Amino acid sequence: MRSSPAATVDDLAAGSPAEAEPRWHRLTAQDLLGRLGTDATRGLTAAVAASRLRVVGPNSLPERPSPSAWTLFARQFRSPLVVVLLAALPVAAAVGESIDAAAIGAIVVLNATLGFVQEHRADRALAALRRMAVGRATVIRDGERLNVGTEDIVPGDLLVFDPGDAVAADARLVWTSGLRIEEAALTGESVPVTKTTEPITAEALADRHNMAFLGTHVSAGKGHGIVVSTGAGTELGRVAVLLGAADRDETPLERRLERLGMVLLRVALAAVGALLVLGLARGEAPGTMILTAVSLAVAAIPEGLPAIVTIALAMGVTRMARRHAIVRRLPAVETLGAATVICTDKTGTLTRGEMVVTRLLAGRARVRVTGEGYAPHGEFSTLPPDPHNPAAIRSLLSAAVLASDATLVRDGDAWMVVGDPTEGALVAAAGKAGLSTDVLETEWPRVVDVPFDGDRKRMTVVRRGRLGLTAFVKGAPEVLLERCSFVLGPGGLVEPLDQAWKRHVERANADFAREALRVLAVARREVGDSAGAADPEQLETALTWLGLVAMSDRPRPEAAPAIASCMSAGIRPVMITGDHRETGVAIAEEIGLETGPGAVMTGAEMDRVSDEELCGRVERVAVYARVSAEHKLRIVRAWRRLGAVVAMTGDGVNDAPALREADIGVAMGRTGTAVAREAADLVVTDDNFASIVAATAEGRRIYENIRKATTYLLSCNVSELLVMAIAIAGGLPLPLLPVQILWLNLLTDGLPALALTLEPAESDLMRRPPRPPRAEVLDGSRLITIGRHGLFMALGAFALFVGAERALGADLTRARTLIFTALVFSQLAHALNSRSESQSLASLGVRGNGLLFAAVLSGVALQWTVTAVPFLARGLGVVPLTLHDWGLAALTGALPLAGMEFEKAWRAWHDLPRATHREVNHGDNESGRVPRSQ
């Protein structure tokens, strides 16, 4: 890289490789300013900033180019079923069946259009999320503070950092005052990092404490930084570039439908080929048999299935959007329904993501604090009663606020924190005691900050009051207790801190810690106008003890029911947190996760075991504590090696690999980074675990309904094939004409099958174990059911055909009309039967799926229309039927339904003893033990 400042900036703008860039964290401030041609106090000039923006381009993360509309549309034709239909289309046209060809083409185009529209809608929803993430930042240009869009920031800009700010670009810090930045989204560091301005030789990203990185947030303090990288050149941008180059594997549903399509193709070709050979051997006209074979091929393949699957998924996506989940790709809906393991973050997903003060030690009294979130409304109660408690509470919380930087702002009905969440909890607690942050700031102006340090485990703010300077200190209880010589006793009098007081404090601290509360100690010292007010060692000795403040991030109220729902569904819920083991265990116990021997594992323990050993333990572990992004990835891989279908949640940049590795990646829409959202299949807009479980239930419902529709479609098609096969094998005339087969498919395979995909979830859906990950859409028992039901319908209709022709003396056209109408009745009745494998039609009722009943009645009406209207009857080769004929056809169509309902009743009676046994066993297992996934 060239040595001149301008040349350096030009090289950056040209996109020089990362290894050619200067190690900004190693440079002194003067070297940095010289290389980037900027001023430490006045920043860039407006003209230079505009010039660099034209060269460098906007400060935005790279995004994978969206596919063109044509590419997106063409992508919808990859299904094997669609390929089969496209192959049948020219064959149908070649033999003169233009109606068949037109119908097949219309179905294929409808399927592609629906898939295209849904993927386009999902892309637009995510684009809206990205637009929401675009913010503004404060820069200094020409010596003036300006609020500019983050996309307009360029290398060399002087960025201003205040509490609550999102860091808008990678910057080298040149001035700080108690600056702490939350970097968990990028580095996985669970606590805010205290920043410095001195050169640093360490290369690890988490150790570059003189840098601020895009995608992180200022939690406390102030600072200035010189922008060194924007957009794709930032650390966050490089991750996004690598992530954009990665491809995803097919989802389980995509793989199953591909296999199903190939099976149907082989079966259809074999069956139709056999019938064609048999017919030709019987002496049938080749033209007639070819036309019949094409019609049977169309009948054998459920041409409506791709469209029905797409519509079912699209409907599910719409329902999930109402439950705060945005699906990026349609098959991902079903994948979540197949999940056997859900690995979830704790903070903000199982918990509220809000620190709340719940306990105080003020004077000698332990105080209970009520209230929700950051709202400054609540009550204080003490055990035992302490007449001096109100004053002690006010003294403790006043000092806690004066040792903090956070503020509260109201956003509609909600209260939000600007700054560190822990300090926000202190401000909220002070508000509950009637203390105003604004009033305290006015009465006690800030003089000196001694920022928090991980080694010192405390921070101090010196403020000027009416009687001089006072140092307010907060930090780890064990550290502050050793530095206190006095205590604020009853009546507001200062007493010596003797051993009895210390034991009292230590007992309270231990009790709070056992409750998994985060505990801070608060103290103060009067320093007058001493020159030592800037010396931490003098400030933080001989302190006056004020008390303890204990807080926690409480579980969401819906978390425990959601966990219980997972357990009853046989899904293994796994909590992953960066918090300490004790905190994770306390939350886990509160929401119903197992925490017994072997059920809790820390990141340090994971580091000591191999991947093979982890695979042997992962099924027993329900809680992981103090883990990093690398640990998350190992957990996902261990579960997948055991054959599980894994859903993984994440919100940070460092979560992206685990989201990609999981079968279904779930990103947080409210707190998640753009990179995490791009890596995920599902974006949960309210960051709520209950929404993930609801999406899982929706995925199960969709899959079950797709299986119902598929079973219905294929059993109807089998009935048509059997009718034709029996007639050809028996030397009888063809019972159905090709155009009649097409009408049957259009009438009974379309709207009724679609209505089945809208069937409400069965009551026990989330009490069933997950289906095996390798299970096909149609397993052996399902294929037997298809064959049995198809045979029921075929035998009844064929018996009517033979009887009408021989016993009733009907001509061939009337006999064909009767069997044709009987098959319509039996297939429409079978749609009602297909609503459930176990529940009777009477128990399901009509209201649950009104569309299906409307489809059945419409089908009957349309069938009457085509037999009654002369030109339609001629086109279909049918004749009008008498009332007696309609009665025969309806009775024949109802017989299979009666048989199937009897079958359900018999199976329910036969399975009752085993079901009762299962319920008893389930009742014995109320310990919270999580069942192992299949």
Side-chain angles (χ1 to χ4, degrees), residues 571-584:
I571 301 170
R572 177 79 174 190
V574 177
M575 186 179 83
I576 301 176
T577 178
D579 275 336
H580 291 283
R581 179 189 181 104
E582 294 75 15
T583 304

Side-chain angles (χ1 to χ4, degrees), residues 151 453 501 555 698 704:
E151 292 188 344
D453 182 89
W501 266 105
E698 185 62 44
E704 287 302 313

Side-chain angles (χ1 to χ4, degrees), residues 154-180:
V154 298
D157 258 328
L158 180 57
L159 268 181
V160 177
F161 301 117
D162 289 308
D165 284 354
V167 178
D170 286 4
R172 169 70 157 81
L173 299 169
V174 293
W175 173 77
T176 63
S177 176
L179 182 66
R180 284 187 289 158

